[in-house]
């Protein structure tokens, strides 16, 4: 899952191959067949490909035509642009293909529910069924197997988002960071790499933390990143810390829980400590484009909140919000920092 450190591709470069349903379906099928791996070694004629994959040539030619139209193949092999993605963003691309498949089915089947009857949409959506957090409450072989697919997806997104979000996160000289819902620790690890004097604790569900410890094994920051496998609704949280971070977590929760989490966070902090919230902004306010890849965000659109919502809660807790920073990713992210007065 770890993408090579040499990945200098622009954010979302893989989206060029995820713009429409035919292209995504063809790419997903080609990956599953092992066709992309075969072509990654060099051009192969359709008849030879059909023989190697033991498939009828007619269907294979049609698949190749779809892949060519999607910009994945050309002149019998992978295009240069796609080959670059496959080489350094394979993990992220495959994770996005699988989640997009679910999101496209959900949106195609019940856009009405997503827009106007969220309860119905949520009970039927394959996208939501993917995130089985209820199976992540323990560390057993079965729990890890049920948790790994969606944690791999979240980790893949984090790996591409982190370097862009990082400059907007100012820990204000904190020495101890608590990240709630920090998943396998991708963002915490980047913060630790940036600041050798920092230690961090990720509080996430037990199976997620176990996968995080596996991901961090042998990494330079391993000794400074602690995982606490717990339900964030349980008290107490690890303390003392000087900064508490929530990235793409609070929108998952109804207002009452979001308030409780922010109240807990404020209670962990000494004067001068800070809370940092990174969240995608409401789609209807920023009018993003809607190519197929955007459906992976669209299924969460009803949950995104304006930064003013969180700033209001933090002010009510006596913290002082700083000006919001915006980061342009697949959708704008707002980074909100609020400081506990000295
Ligand atoms: C959308 S993901 C965001 C992950 C990460 N912060 C990121 O931006 O990539 C939400 C995270 O919250 C965690 N989570 C869900 N319910 C939780 C709970 N009750 N207690 C602690 N963590 C929870 C999930 O396991 C997941 O890692």
């Amino acid at each position: 899952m770890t993408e090579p450190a040499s990945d200098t591709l622009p954010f979302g470069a893989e989206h060029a191959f995820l713009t429409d349903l035919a292209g995504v379906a063809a790419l997903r099928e080609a990956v599953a067949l092992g066709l992309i791996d075969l072509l990654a070694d060099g051009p192969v004629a359709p008849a030879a490909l059909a023989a190697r994959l033991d498939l009828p040539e007619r269907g294979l030619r049609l698949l190749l035509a779809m892949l060519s139209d999607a910009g994945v193949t050309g002149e019998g092999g992978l295009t240069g642009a796609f080959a670059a993605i496959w080489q350094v963003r394979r993990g992220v691309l495959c994770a996005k293909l699988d989640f997009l498949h679910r999101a496209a089915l959900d949106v195609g089947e019940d856009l009405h529910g997503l827009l106007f009857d969220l309860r119905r949409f949520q009970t039927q959506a394959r996208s939501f069924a993917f995130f089985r957090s209820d199976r992540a409450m323990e560390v057993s072989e079965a729990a890890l197997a049920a948790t790994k697919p969606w944690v791999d997806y979240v980790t893949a997104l984090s790996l591409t988002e982190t370097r862009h979000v990082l400059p907007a996160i100012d820990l204000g000289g904190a020495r101890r960071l608590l990240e709630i819902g920090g998943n396998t620790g991708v963002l915490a690890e980047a913060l630790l790499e940036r600041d050798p004097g920092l230690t961090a604790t990720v509080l996430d569900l037990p199976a997620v933390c176990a996968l995080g410890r596996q991901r961090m094994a042998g990494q330079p920051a391993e000794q400074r990143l602690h995982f606490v496998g717990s339900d964030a609704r349980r008290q107490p949280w690890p303390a003392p810390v000087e900064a508490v971070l929530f990235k793409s977590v609070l929108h998952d929760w109804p207002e009452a829980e979001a308030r409780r989490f922010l109240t807990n966070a404020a209670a962990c902090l000494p004067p001068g400590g800070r809370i940092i919230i990174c969240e995608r902004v409401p789609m209807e306010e920023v009018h993003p484009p809607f190519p197929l890849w955007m459906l992976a965000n669209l299924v969460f659109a009803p949950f995104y909140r304006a930064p003013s919502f969180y700033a209001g809660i933090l002010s009510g807790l006596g913290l002082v919000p700083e000006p919001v920073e915006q980061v342009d990713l697949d959708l704008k992210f707002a980074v909100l920092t609020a400081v506990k007065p000295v």
Side-chain angles (χ1 to χ4, degrees):
M1 177 55 57
T2 306
E3 305 290 338
S6 61
D7 178 4
T8 53
L9 295 169
F11 178 78
E14 62 282 356
H15 290 165
F17 306 97
L18 305 174
T19 58
D20 63 48
L21 185 56
V24 165
L27 188 49
R28 190 163 169 269
E29 176 64 13
V31 169
L33 288 173
L35 176 61
I36 301 293
D37 277 329
L38 282 177
L39 292 179
D41 293 335
V44 187
L49 269 179
R52 287 184 60 183
L53 294 170
D54 196 19
L55 289 169
E57 191 177 332
R58 187 170 174 191
L60 195 81
R61 281 183 179 276
L62 187 49
L63 181 59
L64 288 170
M66 293 168 80
L67 291 170
S68 166
D69 191 55
V72 173
T73 58
E75 296 173 8
L78 301 180
T79 59
F82 184 79
I85 299 285
W86 191 245
Q87 202 186 341
V88 297
R89 293 262 184 93
R90 181 193 180 123
V92 109
L93 177 76
C94 291
K96 285 188 175 183
L97 279 171
D98 279 344
F99 190 70
L100 258 183
H101 176 70
R102 289 168 181 268
L105 289 172
D106 290 340
V107 173
E109 201 164 72
D110 193 16
L111 180 62
H112 181 87
L114 174 63
L115 300 177
F116 307 113
D117 188 351
L118 192 54
R119 195 175 296 249
R120 180 179 87 189
F121 184 80
Q122 274 183 292
T123 51
Q124 295 170 0
R126 299 160 184 84
S127 327
F128 294 106
F130 184 51
F131 298 98
R132 290 293 305 268
S133 51
D134 58 314
R135 304 281 307 273
M137 298 295 181
E138 54 168 35
V139 183
S140 64
E141 221 170 283
L144 291 175
T147 304
K148 192 171 176 347
W150 63 266
V151 163
D152 279 353
Y153 176 62
V154 175
T155 299
L157 294 188
S158 275
L159 283 166
T160 51
E161 290 165 0
T162 288
R163 80 177 64 162
H164 303 273
V165 173
L166 199 61
I169 298 180
D170 176 5
L171 297 181
R175 299 296 75 195
R176 291 162 297 191
L177 166 71
L178 172 62
E179 187 181 1
I180 303 299
N183 202 254
T184 58
V186 172
L187 179 55
E189 180 187 12
L191 288 161
L192 291 168
E193 279 169 3
R194 188 176 75 176
D195 180 353
L198 182 70
T199 58
T201 301
V202 163
L203 190 160
D204 207 302
L205 300 172
V208 178
C209 285
L211 294 168
R213 284 185 205 102
Q214 281 177 18
R215 194 189 67 78
M216 283 302 295
Q219 297 302 316
E222 182 186 5
Q223 300 307 320
R224 290 186 290 133
L225 177 47
H226 311 289
F227 287 94
V228 173
S230 176
D231 185 329
R233 289 168 290 188
R234 275 201 214 120
Q235 293 262 36
W237 286 1
V241 294
E242 293 87 34
V244 184
L245 174 61
F246 299 87
K247 175 175 168 283
S248 303
V249 167
L250 293 171
H251 73 266
D252 277 342
W253 296 91
E255 180 171 342
E257 267 90 4
R259 270 181 193 282
R260 212 166 300 139
F261 287 167
L262 292 174
T263 306
N264 290 350
C268 291
L269 294 174
R274 57 185 54 207
I275 294 175
I276 301 133
I277 298 172
C278 307
E279 282 285 346
R280 288 186 173 83
V281 299
M283 284 180 132
E284 64 279 13
E285 286 177 18
V286 290
H287 291 245
F290 286 97
L292 193 86
W293 55 259
M294 188 57 89
L295 301 190
N297 291 330
L298 183 65
V299 291
F300 298 114
F303 306 100
Y304 299 142
R305 300 179 176 114
S308 56
F309 168 86
Y310 298 113
I313 297 178
L314 292 168
S315 299
L317 291 168
L319 277 77
V320 181
E322 294 184 344
V324 173
E325 285 220 37
Q326 287 222 341
V327 182
D328 277 326
L329 296 182
D330 50 354
L331 191 60
K332 280 188 199 312
F333 263 82
V335 181
L336 172 70
T337 301
V339 180
K340 195 167 183 173
V342 177

